[in-house]
Amino acid sequence: SKDSAPARPVVSALTVRYTKDGFSPAPLTVKKGTRVTFVNESADEMWVGSSEHPTHTEYDGTTKSEHCNDGIPSTTSFDQCAVGTTYSFTFDKVGSWEYHNHTSSAEKGTIVVTE
């Protein structure tokens, strides 16, 4: 009989940490349908927003003012829509999605979504 590699668990949720050094892991590759949770472990504010700053249009084509008009994150826009300590989003679009901290736009990362 052949020895086979152990089955790899299916990952359906991952965490990105925001610290004094920025986002980690900053480039993260996930499968389509994965829920990613961003957790603020810094003393600073965190507002995860899809690039570009300040419009946040990259993921779904709508601007921050359009998809955050009530201050509540939608399920289709990759945008936290307000400062907070945690933010979760399920990535349903294949592609390379850059993001930034809207309160400190030099801090960036990328979520790469594959089939």
Side-chain angles (χ1 to χ4, degrees):
S1 78
K2 288 184 178 180
D3 289 351
S4 61
R8 297 174 88 189
V10 175
V11 176
S12 60
L14 295 171
T15 300
V16 172
R17 293 175 174 16
Y18 177 67
T19 69
K20 65 179 179 61
D21 298 319
F23 292 101
S24 179
L28 174 65
T29 300
V30 301
K31 295 277 189 192
K32 181 179 175 182
T34 300
R35 184 173 184 81
V36 176
T37 298
F38 299 82
V39 179
N40 187 354
E41 295 179 351
S42 78
D44 298 318
E45 295 181 330
M46 180 186 79
W47 173 338
V48 178
S50 179
S51 291
E52 296 290 323
H53 179 74
T55 58
H56 304 192
T57 58
E58 185 175 278
Y59 187 79
D60 75 348
T62 63
T63 66
K64 177 176 68 71
S65 61
E66 291 171 318
H67 59 250
C68 290
N69 63 359
D70 56 5
I72 299 169
S74 79
T75 58
T76 58
S77 300
F78 174 30
D79 197 330
Q80 190 174 351
C81 290
V83 169
T85 56
T86 63
Y87 168 62
S88 296
F89 185 75
T90 301
F91 288 87
D92 288 324
K93 293 183 179 185
V94 171
S96 182
W97 309 111
E98 295 177 348
Y99 64 91
H100 62 282
N101 180 357
H102 186 61
T103 66
S104 183
S105 62
E107 295 166 346
K108 301 176 181 183
T110 305
I111 305 293
V112 178
V113 182
T114 62
E115 282 293 340

